Structure formats: structure tokens, C-alpha cells
Amino acid sequence: MTGLRRERDATLRLGTSTGLGRRLAKTLSALAEHAPAPMVELVGVPLATRLRHVRDGELDAAFVRGVDSLPGLEVLPLWEEELVAALPARHPLAADPEVAAADLAGLPLRIATHEENPPLVKAVTAACRAAGFESNPGPAFTNDQDTLAAIAAGRPAWTVYYAAQAAIQPAPGVAFRPFAAPAPTVPTSLAVRPHPPSRELAALLEACRGLDADNRR
């Protein structure tokens, strides 16, 4: 039992968020440099469950997006995640290396509801309004497979993806294009308990901050 307890104490239990893409792999790789042979347990659960598990100690930390404060937790900023537009590859806008938000005004937008993903919807709504229009709601975003297939083969429409997720997302017939500046972004943070961090958690923070510094160079 003592061995099992020590193993659990040395394990970093980390709540993950949809759309981290290559950032998650890079973070874990950087963590291995800061803490040789770390034991990491990744837990993918809804945001409310993630936060509850951090508060009760079942998770050491959790990735969160679009929040700067949480009751009973400390929120540590990590990076700003750029959003990219997903368009039909056959659409004229897909021929350009980047897309201006204003050029999307006439296309239906397939996106999660505000209740499902408030930070994402807020960022996209703000980008559209800054470009001088209100988004034209299309069918709801259901899942990656069905939504991207519909964008590829159905009536012209668009959606948004986190850039790190788009980089690894299979999407035949869909073109991912960065937005012309200023690109909409969503802040990503790490939620932790307001206590001195464990050795493993301190190593994770170093890995995340080093990754962000590399991305800004």
C-alpha cells in the first residue's frame, strides 16, 4: 500500500480541455525536461467537473479557457489561443492565405451555443462586431466529423477552430485559414488550488510558461 500511495502522490493529475491539439503534447514533452520521468494522468471531463475535482483535490490542475477568476481557485494565465476559420476548400475565400472577418458576413456560421462554450462564442461575436456585422447563425455545431463534413460538401458555411486543434484535425474538403489581424483569441489558463504547488505542479507551470515564451519568439 505504501508503494501505491507514493506512486499516487508523485502523479500529476491534470484536467484537459478540448482543442489543445499539439499544445498538450508539447506541454508534456517540456514537462519531461523539467521533471524527469514524471507520471501524468490526463482526465477529460466537462469544465464544471474539472473545477470541482481541482477544488476537492482529485485533480492537481486543470486547463480552462476564457476565465480570469474562479471561486476558491487560483487562475494562472498561460497563453492566448488564436482562432482560425474553417471554410469549404472550394470557396473563393479559401484561395487566400488568410481571411478577413468582414468577408465572412454573408456566410452562415456553425458554432456551439453560448451555454456550451461561452469564451469561444464571445470571441467570435466580438470579432464579427468589430468587423461591422452580426454573425449569420447557421445549423448548430454538433461534432467535428459531422460539422466539417457538412461544411465540405453542403451549402457554404464557416466555423472556427482553435489553431492548435486545427493543425491536427483531419478535414477533407475543408480549408483552415488564419484571420487577418487582429485575429480573435481565447485566453487559456491553469486552474489550481491556492496552496504552495507540489514539485510536479511547479514543473508543469515551468513547462507551460516556457512553451508560451517559445511561441512568442
Side-chain angles (χ1 to χ4, degrees):
M1 290 295 293
T2 301
L4 290 174
R5 188 178 299 111
R6 286 177 180 168
E7 180 177 310
R8 179 171 175 80
D9 289 343
T11 298
L12 179 68
R13 299 176 295 278
L14 179 61
T16 61
S17 179
T18 301
L20 290 171
R22 288 177 179 165
R23 282 194 187 271
L24 180 58
K26 289 181 178 180
T27 297
L28 297 180
S29 178
L31 174 60
E33 297 178 6
H34 289 276
M39 298 183 65
V40 181
E41 179 183 341
L42 301 179
V43 180
V45 291
L47 177 60
T49 305
R50 246 180 289 155
L51 298 179
R52 185 174 69 252
H53 286 345
V54 174
R55 291 188 182 98
D56 64 22
E58 286 299 309
L59 289 176
D60 297 293
F63 288 107
V64 295
R65 286 200 176 96
V67 296
D68 52 21
S69 64
L70 291 166
L73 295 175
E74 189 174 358
V75 179
L76 307 176
L78 297 179
W79 58 70
E80 291 282 335
E81 185 68 64
E82 284 197 6
L83 301 178
V84 298
L87 302 158
R90 67 184 187 283
H91 195 278
L93 290 176
D96 298 326
E98 61 182 21
V99 60
D103 292 337
L104 299 167
L107 290 177
L109 170 63
R110 304 184 66 130
I111 195 170
T113 65
H114 184 272
E115 292 72 19
E116 292 171 328
N117 197 332
L120 182 69
V121 174
K122 180 180 178 181
V124 175
T125 300
C128 292
R129 287 176 178 169
F133 72 99
E134 295 290 333
S135 59
N136 176 20
F141 187 109
T142 52
N143 56 55
D144 293 326
Q145 173 185 283
D146 294 353
T147 299
L148 292 175
I151 288 176
R155 298 180 62 183
W158 67 290
T159 189
V160 292
Y161 267 73
Y162 301 110
Q165 182 183 13
I168 62 171
Q169 178 68 50
V174 172
F176 292 107
R177 292 291 180 268
F179 286 93
T185 64
V186 177
T188 300
S189 304
L190 203 64
V192 300
R193 292 184 297 284
H195 303 303
S198 66
R199 181 177 59 184
E200 291 77 19
L201 181 54
L204 174 66
L205 293 173
E206 283 295 315
C208 289
R209 287 164 178 163
L211 178 63
D212 183 40
D214 289 342
N215 288 333
R216 287 188 277 107
R217 289 190 185 121

